[in-house]
Amino acid sequence: MTINDLLEKAARYLSSAEVNNIKSAYQYAEDSHSGQLRKSGDPYIIHPVEVAGILVDLEMDATTIIGGLLHDVVEDTDVTLEDITECFGEEVARLVDGVTKLRHFEFKSKEDQQAENHRKMFVAMAQDIRCVLIKLADRLHNMRTLKFMSAEKQVQKANETLEIFAPLANRLGISAIKWELEDISLRFLNPQQYYRIVNLMKRKRNDREEYISEVIDKIQDTLNQLNIEADISGRPKHIYSIYRKMAYQNKQFNEIYDLLAVRIIVKSIKDCYAVLGIIHTQWKPMPGRFKDYIAMPKANMYQSLHTTVIGPKGDPLEVQIRTEDMHKVAEYGIAAHWAYKEGKQKNVNNKFEDKLAWFREILEWQNDAEDAKEFIESLKADLFSDTVFVFTPKGDVIELPRGSVPIDFAYRIHTEIGNKTVGAKVNGKIVPLDYHLQTGDIVDMMTSKHSYGPSQDWLKMAQSSHAKNKIRQWFKKQRRDENVAKGRELVEKELKSQGFDPKELLTEENIDNVAKKFNFSTDEEIFAAVGYNGITSKQVVTRLTEKMRKSTDAEQLLNAFPDVKTYTPRRKTETGVRVKGVDNLMIRLSKCCNPVPGDDIVGYITKGRGVSIHRRNCPNLNVDQARLLDVEWEAPKEETKNYNVDIEITGYDRNGLLNEVLQAVSETKTQINAVSGKADKNKVALIDMKIAIHNVSHLKTVVERIKRITDVYAVRRVMD
């Protein structure tokens, strides 16, 4: 998309003044990113323009589109938030800040840094939903250009997209983005299955299109006779959806019911139910396959009637029926409800705020979470899980994560009801508090003003982060002194079990340092947190002994592991790897993951065979953590040493593919030590190759060269 295309689309629903502001933002972004290139080699400005284009397709307001154009300038250029505020106002600056990664903080690992970035984004989202819409557009375009990234980055980004961004798009009801994110992620995580499904769909496409056309004509004729105006079309089935049904329901491709589907869009809700009656009159409905999402909308505001019938040729046929407004919500979700005028939020739907109540809880959750990882995990469990819908005795519908128990229900109604709970009735019968609620259950909580409050066991029973946080808050307030004493006792016990002297480590300075790392202000707060199970004693002890463990010298290491092999120190190790602080350990490179210079590595003290070097992400590192060592690559004087690496190439099986791959590798002056290939019945070729490379940079060059070959789907590094 060019800037002219963007402006032309925006002009269809925005004023000329707003379009001019967008044009000014583009010029600012182009100047700021001048000289920067994407991994593809394209000018960087293409990315923010594409992001803004996705936001225009959602018909977002001008402020959001400007935020999309400027979303990377603070992160990737010398522009500051103050500059953005001065040129485009505080509202735009706040949106840009909400999607800008944290840069000026030190993190223990990349995972911690990414978790903190996600926490920042969700907190910003709770304050202004437009932040996450920009972030989703940013992620979508990055996924569309993922082929230019390294194989390792492709897998990392695809996994992150399936875990965080696709479920978030689904929770916001933006199916237009959700489906594409899922399909692209699958293409990089499981290319064999992805292209197998693509080929299976292609084989019978003509038959399906002919069948759907026949069905549409028949429905249209009937509706015309009844004077019901409708837009009828075939509904495309998305690859990831088929893959999930095949993988998780153990179904074959021809057993997927909704490969054949029709969508009917009508003018009113009355017409929806009228058309449903017509469909059920023409064809026999399949038992258990009717869902009324109009009367009972999904959590993401989706509304539609779904039914599956036995079609004209005896094949299952899925039919979706909805109004035009419902269809817009189904495609664009929250964006379809969100309108801005002169910087002021207007609510199109009176119940819209209630639907987004979970956003407001995000701020509360992030304050209670001990670290960003815990926050993200609780978010995944609560917001991105399947849901159940239960009723209060008065008939109000309460939405809860699947697996919720009466305790979750009680705290969702009111904190005091949760704290005073003594029992529960479901559908008129008394049930235990760990009973798993089902959709349609009527729940009546039994409370008592004489209740002693929550039990510690409730933390294990509750499924929702909301309930768990309320229970922890109660323990914080009610039993502080008791928890402080209990926490101190648990920490001292853990120290002794690990062979440390509590008096030596529980100094005021040490405890203050650990408290800061866990975001506590006093030693009492950290001990109280251990007491009410907010954090574990093992976590605290790990922090308390961190410095002592890091200072372990070579003599202590060798005394602790007398079975480790040594050798007479030489100037340079044969492997190119050195153990930090130790010069005389026998070192060998692990063959299960074949580490090469540039990889993030760790050493493992074997029994009688020296130190084995593994990549940190090696699946075989689920071992005794006490035997792990910090190691580092020695700086090579020249790139003469070769390291074996196994790679797997997936592509379309055609004549000459293997020869082209071999030629491509030879062009990079890389030695090939072994090669084998096979193909399945779906014409998916798999080539395994062992090559000798100098370092990660050399490997990247080889992989990028192979990926440029026509019909190559994916190239990945293999670990045993």
Side-chain angles (χ1 to χ4, degrees), residues 491-548:
V491 170
E492 289 180 354
K493 186 177 178 181
E494 183 65 30
L495 282 168
K496 289 176 182 177
S497 71
Q498 294 188 24
F500 296 104
D501 182 0
K503 291 181 180 179
E504 183 181 342
L505 286 169
L506 290 177
T507 64
E508 185 176 345
E509 182 182 357
N510 279 353
I511 296 173
D512 284 345
N513 288 335
V514 174
K516 288 176 183 176
K517 289 180 180 179
F518 283 104
N519 295 319
F520 292 113
S521 55
T522 66
D523 60 339
E524 285 193 348
E525 284 187 12
I526 196 167
F527 287 129
V530 175
Y532 64 74
N533 289 337
I535 55 176
T536 66
S537 58
K538 191 167 286 187
Q539 286 176 294
V540 175
V541 168
T542 298
R543 293 288 192 180
L544 282 169
T545 60
E546 192 171 25
K547 190 174 181 181
M548 181 177 289

Side-chain angles (χ1 to χ4, degrees), residues 23 31 47 69 96 179 188 267 381 401 430 526 528 612 655 701:
K23 189 174 182 180
D31 293 342
H47 172 62
L69 284 168
V96 172
W179 291 120
F188 288 99
K267 296 294 183 182
I430 295 177
I526 196 167
S612 177
N655 290 334
T701 300

Side-chain angles (χ1 to χ4, degrees), residues 74 78 126 249 329 357 366 421 450 462 494 549 693:
V74 173
D78 295 331
Q249 297 179 20
V329 172
Q366 71 96 20
T421 289
H450 302 297
E494 183 65 30
R549 285 184 286 105
I693 58 105

Side-chain angles (χ1 to χ4, degrees), residues 222-236:
T222 305
L223 296 185
N224 287 341
Q225 293 172 19
L226 297 173
N227 294 321
I228 295 177
E229 190 178 339
D231 179 16
I232 310 173
S233 61
R235 182 181 67 83

